[in-house]
């Protein structure tokens, strides 16, 4: 099964309770993400980094509030949807406007005011991005998007220099989330290719969220770029669709709120987050704070099929 994005006016009558796609809500998630990161940082071995990530989420919240998507760009979405119903905001084809660079400037300004974790590498990354012209920033952005759309993410040379990647991605993700939240569309399940990638922008998921409440038990993958969520039936591998070779790993007990779904057919895994087990879960934050589970999966020779851009290399020698 695949998912096609169609105009809201073409929503099929009689659609059941399972929405194929949940576009990002107008309410911004970054303040809650920052709060969760601050909570998870208490007593954590990576406390400094989690708190820096919280500062970045706060900067995203403030920047998004100050710089909403311009009306003229929102109006382009209708045409884009008509021209490309499959992944209408695909990052390889969507013409980025200058708005994403305005978002980047807003983020850089706010992050430069943060005293936390101002290492030499971070200060250098901030300076490099602030001093770079629009063409250089676009070149870095294209390299990062291209790398994170493919397996090349494992190749260090495919990414922008150390420390730049997270800041770039924070602005790009903010931009694509704004676009997706204004998309006048809905998802429609269709026969076709497997749904391993985001049907809106074409990127891999960060993880899967097994929902609670009225939608208890439904699994949605959350996009690493635009943060759309799309439905995938449970007990199938989110990378190869296998139903025969799945194992579930956790660091606590079988009721743990975070588990890794490993597939021995394709030798990959993706973490799942269970809202019923912990109503305070925030996928991006809890994913970053559970790297011990990633280490355990790597010890099992399984490769992660999704991406959390906050896990990209932060320190190192500039390229």
């Amino acid at each position: 099964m695949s998912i096609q994005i169609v105009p809201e006016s073409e929503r099929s009558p009689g659609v059941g309770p399972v929405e194929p796609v949940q576009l990002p809500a107008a309410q911004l998630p970054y303040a809650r993400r920052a709060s969760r990161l601050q909570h998870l940082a208490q007593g954590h071995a990576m406390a400094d980094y989690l708190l820096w990530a919280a500062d970045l989420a706060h900067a995203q919240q403030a920047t998004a509030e100050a710089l909403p998507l311009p009306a003229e760009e929102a109006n382009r979405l209708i045409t884009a949807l008509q021209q490309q119903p499959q992944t209408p905001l695909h990052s390889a084809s969507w013409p980025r406007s200058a708005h994403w660079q305005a978002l980047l400037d807003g983020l850089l300004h706010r992050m430069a005011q943060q005293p936390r974790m101002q290492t030499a590498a971070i200060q250098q990354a901030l300076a490099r991005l602030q001093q770079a012209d629009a063409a250089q920033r676009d070149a870095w952005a294209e390299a990062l998007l291209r790398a994170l759309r493919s397996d090349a993410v494992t190749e260090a040379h495919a990414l922008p220099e150390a420390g730049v990647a997270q800041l770039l991605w924070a602005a790009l993700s903010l931009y694509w989330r704004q676009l997706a939240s204004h998309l006048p569309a809905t998802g429609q399940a269709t026969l076709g290719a497997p749904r391993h990638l985001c049907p809106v922008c074409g990127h891999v998921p960060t993880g899967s969220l097994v929902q609670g409440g009225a939608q208890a038990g439904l699994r949605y993958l959350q996009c690493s770029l635009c943060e759309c969520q799309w439905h995938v039936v449970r007990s199938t591998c989110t990378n190869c669709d296998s139903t025969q070779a799945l194992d579930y790993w956790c660091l606590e007990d079988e009721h743990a709120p975070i588990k890794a779904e490993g597939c021995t057919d394709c030798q990959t895994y993706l973490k799942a987050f269970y809202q019923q087990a912990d109503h305070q879960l925030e996928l991006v934050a809890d994913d970053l704070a559970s790297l011990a589970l990633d280490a355990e999966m790597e010890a099992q020779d399984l490769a992660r099929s999704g991406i959390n851009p906050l896990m990209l290399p932060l320190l190192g020698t500039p390229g």
Side-chain angles (χ1 to χ4, degrees):
M1 297 292 292
S2 62
I3 296 174
Q4 184 175 3
I5 306 301
V6 299
E8 289 176 336
S9 59
E10 297 180 19
R11 176 189 290 266
S12 300
V15 173
V18 179
E19 289 285 348
V21 171
Q22 296 180 347
L23 297 175
Q27 182 179 2
L28 297 170
Y30 306 111
R32 178 174 178 267
R33 184 171 299 163
S35 177
R36 180 64 172 171
L37 284 162
Q38 290 171 335
H39 171 74
L40 293 169
Q42 298 174 23
H44 198 285
M46 292 174 51
D48 287 346
Y49 189 69
L50 294 178
L51 290 172
W52 182 84
D55 289 343
L56 184 58
H58 273 306
Q60 286 179 298
Q61 180 80 23
T63 301
E65 291 172 352
L67 296 169
L69 188 72
E72 58 269 24
E73 185 140 24
N75 292 336
R76 290 169 53 199
L77 294 170
I78 299 174
T79 302
L81 185 60
Q82 294 171 339
Q83 294 177 343
Q84 188 171 319
Q86 297 284 359
T87 55
L89 303 181
H90 200 292
S91 68
S93 56
W94 179 259
R96 295 186 300 275
S97 73
H99 180 61
W100 89 266
Q101 299 218 25
L103 293 171
L104 178 60
D105 282 328
L107 282 170
L108 295 176
H109 172 74
R110 289 170 174 83
M111 290 304 291
Q113 311 307 312
Q114 296 291 347
R116 200 182 335 257
M117 203 177 166
Q118 287 287 14
T119 64
I122 293 175
Q123 290 177 345
Q124 188 173 36
L126 286 167
R128 287 280 281 165
L129 283 166
Q130 288 171 327
Q131 295 166 10
D133 60 22
Q136 177 62 77
R137 288 174 167 189
D138 264 323
W140 282 334
E142 187 57 40
L144 184 59
L145 290 167
R146 184 172 59 250
L148 298 190
R149 280 196 306 266
S150 69
D151 294 337
V153 68
T154 59
E155 302 174 19
H157 63 79
L159 300 175
E161 65 186 67
V164 170
Q166 284 91 341
L167 297 168
L168 271 177
W169 192 265
L172 290 167
S173 181
L174 183 50
Y175 173 59
W176 252 275
R177 190 186 189 281
Q178 286 186 338
L179 290 168
S181 67
H182 284 79
L183 196 64
T186 187
Q188 180 174 293
T190 62
L191 293 174
R195 55 182 81 177
H196 307 144
L197 302 176
C198 176
V200 173
C201 71
H203 279 257
V204 299
T206 293
S208 67
L209 188 66
V210 181
Q211 300 195 350
Q215 292 189 312
L218 294 181
R219 177 173 71 173
Y220 283 81
L221 305 187
Q222 180 166 308
C223 179
S224 56
L225 179 62
C226 72
E227 299 200 358
C228 285
Q229 295 180 348
W230 68 101
H231 179 252
V232 176
V233 176
R234 292 175 65 180
S235 300
T236 61
C237 175
T238 58
N239 186 59
C240 75
D241 288 335
S242 172
T243 60
Q244 305 298 319
L246 298 179
D247 292 311
Y248 293 87
W249 303 76
C250 59
L251 298 180
E252 301 169 30
D253 56 44
E254 61 179 335
H255 302 295
I258 304 174
K259 298 179 183 177
E261 181 183 86
C263 177
T264 54
D265 273 357
C266 64
Q267 294 295 302
T268 68
Y269 75 95
L270 190 70
K271 280 191 277 187
F273 302 82
Y274 294 79
Q275 281 189 323
Q276 284 186 311
D278 186 348
H279 297 295
Q280 302 303 314
L281 279 172
E282 201 289 321
L283 191 147
V284 174
D286 283 82
D287 182 38
L288 189 63
S290 57
L291 288 182
L293 182 54
D294 291 273
E296 177 62 29
M297 300 312 292
E298 290 177 7
Q300 303 300 323
D301 293 326
L302 297 178
R304 181 172 170 134
S305 61
I307 293 169
N308 185 331
L310 287 175
M311 295 179 184
L312 294 173
L314 180 65
L315 304 177
T317 303

